[in-house]
Amino acid sequence: MNFIASKQPENRLLGPESDTQRTLYPYVTGTSVVALKYKDGILMAADMGGSYGSTLRYKSVERMKPIGKHSLLGASGEISDFQEILRYLDELILYDNMWDDGNSLGPKEVHNYLTRVMYNRRNKFNPLWNSLVLGGVKNGQTYLGMVNMIGVNFEDNHVATGFGNHLARPILRQEWHENLSFEDGVKLLEKCMRVLLYRDRSAVNKLQIAKITEEGVTISQPYSLKTYWEFSAFENPAQGAIGSW
C-alpha cells in the first residue's frame, strides 16, 4: 500500500506564490509504537491503523520493518514520510553491502543515521513527520533508541512514541526488568497496547509484535487483544464533567 506524500508539486513558471509547499500537517498517520529490551533481544509492538485525519481509514498498515541484518524499525506519524525513510534506508543498506567487506551496519549506526536525517530535514523546515523507534542486536549487544521529527533522540531500556509516551511508559517503568523473558515481555507489551486501545481514539484492535535477536527478525501475524468494556467509567464518561453536553 503506497500513500501519496503530502507535498505539493513545484512550479517555478508561475512565480514565487507557487513555490514548493512543505508538509504543514500529516495526512495519513499511525499511532503509538512501544518497544523494550528483554533478555535475548528487543520486542516491539504497533497496531495496524492508518488514520486519515480523525477517520480510521486503513486497518492493515504495517509500521514495523527489518533494516539490514541487525535492526528493526517502527514508526508512528505520517505513513508516506515513513515510506520515504524506508527508501533512504534501502539505499544505505545497499551501499553498505556493496563494500562486501564482511561487516554490516548495526543498530547504533542506523539510529545515528536516522538522527542526522531527521535533524537535517527539520533544519530545512521540511520535516519528515514521524517518530521512529530503532532496536537491534549485534555481537551480543542490544540497542534501543528513538528519534522524533525534529531530531531529538535518546537510548533507553524501553521507549514509546505518541500516546505511548504518556500512557505506556509509566507501566514500563514500573514493571520492566532486565531479565524479562520473551513471554513476560509480550504480556507487558500487550498490557500497554490494551491501555492505548482504551484511551487512544486512533488505536485499532489489530496489532503485530516483532522481536529481533542474534538470529534475526520475526514479525507476528496480526491479531486482536481480548478487551473488557464494562467498566463503569466507560458507561457515561462525560457525567459530571464541567461544560459537557
Side-chain angles (χ1 to χ4, degrees), residues 7 13 27 45 59 65 86 100 116 118 132 137 140 150 176 193 195 201 207 216 235:
K7 279 81 173 173
L13 298 178
Y27 278 50
K59 297 181 181 178
K65 298 290 184 180
L86 291 177
D100 195 22
R116 298 304 89 208
M118 301 301 276
L132 306 172
V137 183
I150 61 174
W176 181 88
M193 298 303 289
V195 170
R201 72 169 186 179
L207 70 145
E235 294 177 4

Side-chain angles (χ1 to χ4, degrees), residues 4-225:
I4 299 174
S6 52
K7 279 81 173 173
Q8 300 294 326
E10 184 174 3
N11 187 345
R12 296 188 181 277
L13 298 178
L14 300 179
E17 294 181 358
S18 62
D19 284 348
T20 300
Q21 297 295 309
R22 306 306 189 191
T23 303
L24 302 181
Y25 51 88
Y27 278 50
V28 179
T29 59
T31 187
S32 306
V33 178
V34 184
L36 54 82
K37 293 181 180 179
Y38 77 108
K39 66 179 183 179
D40 295 324
I42 302 293
L43 285 170
M44 189 180 298
D47 70 19
M48 302 188 71
S51 297
Y52 182 74
S54 60
T55 302
L56 191 55
R57 175 64 180 83
Y58 304 100
K59 297 181 181 178
S60 296
V61 181
E62 295 185 2
R63 297 188 289 119
M64 298 183 293
K65 298 290 184 180
I67 306 298
K69 297 178 181 178
H70 308 288
S71 303
L72 173 68
L73 179 67
S76 60
E78 170 63 50
I79 301 301
S80 65
D81 283 350
F82 177 46
Q83 292 170 336
E84 181 74 3
I85 290 168
L86 291 177
R87 282 190 282 269
Y88 291 165
L89 291 170
D90 284 343
E91 292 179 6
L92 179 72
I93 297 301
L94 178 61
Y95 181 75
D96 180 56
N97 291 340
M98 287 170 59
W99 284 93
D100 195 22
D101 57 0
N103 194 19
S104 56
L105 293 174
K108 185 175 180 65
E109 292 79 27
V110 176
H111 184 233
N112 287 340
Y113 171 80
L114 289 172
T115 64
R116 298 304 89 208
V117 168
M118 301 301 276
Y119 187 64
N120 175 263
R121 290 291 293 262
R122 175 261 190 191
N123 286 342
K124 293 180 177 179
F125 295 92
N126 187 21
L128 293 163
W129 214 286
N130 299 100
S131 290
L132 306 172
V133 174
L134 195 287
V137 183
K138 185 178 181 182
N139 299 328
Q141 299 295 315
T142 57
Y143 183 92
L144 181 61
M146 68 86 62
V147 57
N148 70 9
M149 63 180 286
I150 61 174
V152 175
N153 62 93
F154 60 89
E155 305 169 41
D156 208 340
N157 294 318
H158 46 77
V159 298
T161 66
F163 263 97
N165 249 331
H166 308 283
L167 301 177
R169 294 213 67 195
I171 299 172
L172 294 170
R173 290 189 184 105
Q174 186 173 19
E175 300 189 20
W176 181 88
H177 57 87
E178 61 183 11
N179 292 319
L180 207 63
S181 67
F182 172 76
E183 291 78 13
D184 290 340
V186 170
K187 289 179 181 177
L188 183 53
L189 285 180
E190 287 182 343
K191 181 176 182 179
C192 293
M193 298 303 289
R194 187 176 290 108
V195 170
L196 290 168
L197 178 62
Y198 287 147
R199 294 298 181 184
D200 183 0
R201 72 169 186 179
S202 299
V204 60
N205 194 9
K206 183 180 180 183
L207 70 145
Q208 292 178 294
I209 290 182
K211 73 171 181 177
I212 180 167
T213 64
E214 288 279 16
E215 284 72 43
V217 175
T218 303
I219 301 177
S220 74
Q221 291 296 313
Y223 69 100
S224 298
L225 297 173

